[in-house]
Amino acid sequence: MGPEEARSPAAFGRTVPAVAENVAPLRHAVVRLAERSGVDEDVATDLALAVGEACANVVVHAYPPGDIGPLILHAEVLEEEIRVHVSDQGRGMTPRPDSPGLGLGLPLIANLADHLEISDGPGNIGTVLMMAFRLRRG
Protein backbone atom coordinates (compact mmCIF):
# COMPACT_ATOMS: atom_id res chain seq x y z
CA MET A 1 0.00 0.00 0.00
CA GLY A 2 1.22 3.45 -0.82
CA PRO A 3 1.23 6.41 1.51
CA GLU A 4 -1.91 7.81 -0.14
CA GLU A 5 -4.56 5.19 0.47
CA ALA A 6 -8.07 4.89 1.77
CA ARG A 7 -10.03 1.80 2.64
CA SER A 8 -13.46 1.16 4.04
CA PRO A 9 -16.05 -1.54 3.42
CA ALA A 10 -17.53 0.69 0.69
CA ALA A 11 -14.49 2.52 -0.68
CA PHE A 12 -10.94 2.04 -1.86
CA GLY A 13 -8.35 4.58 -2.88
CA ARG A 14 -4.70 4.55 -3.70
CA THR A 15 -2.04 6.71 -5.34
CA VAL A 16 0.80 4.77 -6.96
CA PRO A 17 3.48 5.40 -9.57
CA ALA A 18 2.04 5.13 -13.09
CA VAL A 19 3.87 1.95 -14.08
CA ALA A 20 2.48 -1.24 -15.63
CA GLU A 21 3.14 -3.34 -12.50
CA ASN A 22 0.57 -1.31 -10.56
CA VAL A 23 -2.36 -1.83 -12.96
CA ALA A 24 -3.32 -5.40 -11.97
CA PRO A 25 -3.29 -4.81 -8.19
CA LEU A 26 -5.53 -1.76 -8.61
CA ARG A 27 -7.90 -3.67 -10.90
CA HIS A 28 -8.12 -6.56 -8.43
CA ALA A 29 -8.77 -4.24 -5.48
CA VAL A 30 -11.69 -2.55 -7.26
CA VAL A 31 -13.21 -5.89 -8.24
CA ARG A 32 -12.88 -7.16 -4.64
CA LEU A 33 -14.67 -4.03 -3.43
CA ALA A 34 -17.50 -4.67 -5.90
CA GLU A 35 -17.67 -8.35 -4.94
CA ARG A 36 -18.08 -7.44 -1.26
CA SER A 37 -21.08 -5.38 -2.39
CA GLY A 38 -22.71 -8.25 -4.29
CA VAL A 39 -21.81 -7.34 -7.86
CA ASP A 40 -23.08 -9.59 -10.67
CA GLU A 41 -20.34 -11.72 -12.22
CA ASP A 42 -20.77 -10.18 -15.69
CA VAL A 43 -20.57 -6.67 -14.22
CA ALA A 44 -17.39 -7.64 -12.33
CA THR A 45 -15.85 -8.79 -15.62
CA ASP A 46 -16.75 -5.51 -17.35
CA LEU A 47 -15.51 -3.52 -14.36
CA ALA A 48 -12.16 -5.33 -14.35
CA LEU A 49 -11.63 -4.70 -18.05
CA ALA A 50 -12.62 -1.02 -17.85
CA VAL A 51 -10.47 -0.30 -14.77
CA GLY A 52 -7.51 -2.07 -16.38
CA GLU A 53 -7.92 -0.01 -19.56
CA ALA A 54 -8.27 3.28 -17.68
CA CYS A 55 -5.18 2.60 -15.56
CA ALA A 56 -3.20 1.44 -18.60
CA ASN A 57 -4.12 4.69 -20.36
CA VAL A 58 -2.50 6.63 -17.52
CA VAL A 59 0.62 4.46 -17.69
CA VAL A 60 0.96 4.78 -21.48
CA HIS A 61 -0.39 8.25 -22.25
CA ALA A 62 -0.38 10.60 -19.25
CA TYR A 63 3.32 11.34 -18.94
CA PRO A 64 6.11 11.95 -21.46
CA PRO A 65 8.33 8.94 -22.21
CA GLY A 66 10.73 8.40 -19.34
CA ASP A 67 8.64 10.35 -16.81
CA ILE A 68 6.66 8.54 -14.12
CA GLY A 69 3.93 10.45 -12.33
CA PRO A 70 1.09 9.41 -10.08
CA LEU A 71 -1.81 7.17 -11.01
CA ILE A 72 -4.67 8.01 -8.64
CA LEU A 73 -7.62 5.67 -8.21
CA HIS A 74 -10.66 6.00 -5.99
CA ALA A 75 -13.62 3.61 -6.03
CA GLU A 76 -16.76 3.84 -3.96
CA VAL A 77 -19.97 1.87 -3.72
CA LEU A 78 -22.96 4.20 -3.53
CA GLU A 79 -26.32 2.47 -3.15
CA GLU A 80 -26.59 0.14 -6.17
CA GLU A 81 -23.56 1.27 -8.18
CA ILE A 82 -19.81 1.48 -8.01
CA ARG A 83 -18.09 4.66 -9.15
CA VAL A 84 -14.44 4.61 -10.08
CA HIS A 85 -12.28 7.68 -10.61
CA VAL A 86 -8.92 7.19 -12.35
CA SER A 87 -6.79 10.30 -12.62
CA ASP A 88 -3.30 11.55 -13.30
CA GLN A 89 -1.31 14.76 -13.14
CA GLY A 90 0.04 14.47 -16.64
CA ARG A 91 -0.31 16.34 -19.88
CA GLY A 92 -4.07 15.89 -20.27
CA MET A 93 -6.09 14.69 -23.23
CA THR A 94 -4.07 15.85 -26.20
CA PRO A 95 -3.67 14.21 -29.60
CA ARG A 96 -0.44 12.24 -29.94
CA PRO A 97 0.71 11.26 -33.42
CA ASP A 98 3.31 9.00 -31.77
CA SER A 99 0.71 7.21 -29.61
CA PRO A 100 1.61 3.56 -29.04
CA GLY A 101 -2.04 2.58 -28.56
CA LEU A 102 -4.74 1.75 -31.08
CA GLY A 103 -7.21 4.30 -29.71
CA LEU A 104 -9.71 1.66 -28.61
CA GLY A 105 -9.47 2.02 -24.81
CA LEU A 106 -11.88 4.90 -24.24
CA PRO A 107 -14.57 3.57 -26.64
CA LEU A 108 -14.29 0.19 -24.91
CA ILE A 109 -14.71 1.77 -21.47
CA ALA A 110 -17.70 3.77 -22.77
CA ASN A 111 -19.35 0.56 -23.97
CA LEU A 112 -18.72 -1.32 -20.71
CA ALA A 113 -19.67 1.37 -18.19
CA ASP A 114 -23.19 2.56 -17.47
CA HIS A 115 -21.85 6.11 -17.24
CA LEU A 116 -18.54 7.71 -18.28
CA GLU A 117 -17.22 11.23 -17.77
CA ILE A 118 -13.80 12.54 -18.77
CA SER A 119 -12.64 15.92 -17.55
CA ASP A 120 -9.55 17.98 -16.89
CA GLY A 121 -7.97 17.50 -13.50
CA PRO A 122 -7.93 20.14 -10.79
CA GLY A 123 -6.28 23.33 -12.02
CA ASN A 124 -6.44 21.93 -15.58
CA ILE A 125 -3.62 19.53 -14.72
CA GLY A 126 -4.05 15.97 -15.90
CA THR A 127 -7.21 14.05 -16.63
CA VAL A 128 -9.96 12.54 -14.49
CA LEU A 129 -11.96 9.61 -15.83
CA MET A 130 -15.09 8.68 -13.86
CA MET A 131 -16.96 5.51 -14.72
CA ALA A 132 -20.01 4.08 -12.99
CA PHE A 133 -21.41 0.55 -13.08
CA ARG A 134 -24.71 -0.73 -11.68
CA LEU A 135 -23.85 -3.63 -9.38
CA ARG A 136 -26.69 -5.76 -10.73
CA ARG A 137 -28.16 -5.93 -14.19
CA GLY A 138 -31.69 -6.79 -15.13
Side-chain angles (χ1 to χ4, degrees), residues 15-108:
T15 299
V16 298
V19 295
E21 302 84 60
N22 287 327
V23 173
L26 291 173
R27 182 181 67 236
H28 294 304
V30 172
V31 171
R32 280 193 304 274
L33 173 65
E35 288 172 344
R36 287 194 304 270
S37 301
V39 70
D40 288 346
E41 188 175 326
D42 59 332
V43 177
T45 299
D46 291 350
L47 177 64
L49 183 54
V51 169
E53 281 292 326
C55 291
N57 277 348
V58 172
V59 170
V60 173
H61 300 292
Y63 303 101
D67 286 354
I68 298 174
L71 186 167
I72 306 153
L73 183 140
H74 181 263
E76 185 173 19
V77 176
L78 301 166
E79 297 181 20
E80 294 298 316
E81 77 175 8
I82 184 167
R83 291 186 188 168
V84 182
H85 293 82
V86 176
S87 58
D88 62 70
Q89 296 174 347
R91 52 187 163 192
M93 296 283 290
T94 57
R96 282 189 54 198
D98 65 333
S99 175
L102 298 174
L104 302 176
L106 291 177
L108 176 63

